[in-house]
Amino acid sequence: MSRVCTICGKGPMVGNTVSHSIRRSSRRFLPNLHTVQVEMNGRVQRIRVCGKCLKKLKATA
């Protein structure tokens, strides 16, 4: 199961962890995903949604 928002397509980003001595090592920034049950096409489906899209869903509901 991929770490991607099903609504906006937001996925992991790549960056650096910078220590106090300014040495850089790679790291991944993962999106804030939540599993939500949503009614789509008359059926209840479980989808993975990021925090921003979750706010949008709650505002419309």
Side-chain angles (χ1 to χ4, degrees), residues 10-33:
K10 184 186 287 187
M13 296 180 72
V14 180
N16 289 318
T17 299
V18 183
S19 69
H20 180 67
S21 61
I22 316 174
R23 290 178 60 93
R24 288 174 168 83
S25 57
S26 311
R27 62 159 290 185
R28 288 174 52 164
F29 292 93
L30 299 176
N32 180 22
L33 293 179

Side-chain angles (χ1 to χ4, degrees):
M1 195 182 317
S2 62
R3 291 187 165 133
V4 177
C5 176
T6 54
I7 295 175
C8 67
K10 184 186 287 187
M13 296 180 72
V14 180
N16 289 318
T17 299
V18 183
S19 69
H20 180 67
S21 61
I22 316 174
R23 290 178 60 93
R24 288 174 168 83
S25 57
S26 311
R27 62 159 290 185
R28 288 174 52 164
F29 292 93
L30 299 176
N32 180 22
L33 293 179
H34 299 271
T35 305
V36 180
Q37 288 185 340
V38 179
E39 187 175 340
M40 298 174 70
N41 303 329
R43 292 175 41 203
V44 176
Q45 291 182 333
R46 223 181 253 159
I47 59 173
R48 298 182 93 183
V49 178
C50 69
K52 189 180 270 190
C53 293
L54 185 64
K55 279 176 98 171
K56 288 180 196 172
L57 283 173
K58 290 202 174 184
T60 58

